[in-house]
Amino acid sequence: VRPDNRFVEVLMKSIANQGQWRTALQVMEVLGELQPGLLSSSNVVHNLGIKACAEAREWKAASLLLQDMRKRGRRPDLYSYN
């Protein structure tokens, strides 16, 4: 059974709010393997990953997620930079 978008968003939001940036990156890596299109279909997961990095002051990791968004054809939005 693969997680749906809503489940992934709730999971990532919980992780981001706790500033668990390593966990966020690990979840995103696994999601990329299980559901390759999920990370390319919306900015939400990337933005929550960036938020987790920001909460932990891991600016380099946040910057790498912005680069990954662009590589996947996503355009960072206001939430990406906030």
Side-chain angles (χ1 to χ4, degrees):
V1 176
R2 294 195 168 152
D4 64 7
N5 287 359
R6 181 69 182 136
F7 173 82
V8 171
E9 288 174 19
V10 170
L11 174 64
M12 287 295 292
K13 187 172 186 177
S14 174
I15 292 168
N17 287 339
Q18 295 176 40
Q20 296 182 6
W21 67 279
R22 286 187 181 104
T23 302
L25 297 180
Q26 290 170 340
V27 168
M28 291 177 72
E29 183 177 346
V30 170
L31 286 173
E33 293 170 7
L34 290 176
Q35 292 179 267
L38 180 69
L39 297 178
S40 300
S41 66
S42 133
N43 286 359
V44 174
V45 174
H46 273 91
N47 286 344
L48 289 168
I50 292 167
K51 180 180 179 182
C53 293
E55 292 287 329
R57 301 192 189 288
E58 291 292 335
W59 307 117
K60 185 172 182 176
S63 177
L64 291 173
L65 286 176
L66 282 170
Q67 290 176 19
D68 187 60
M69 284 178 83
R70 291 184 189 102
K71 277 191 347 188
R72 294 175 186 274
R74 303 300 309 162
R75 176 179 276 170
D77 56 23
L78 179 64
Y79 294 104
S80 306
Y81 294 109
N82 210 0

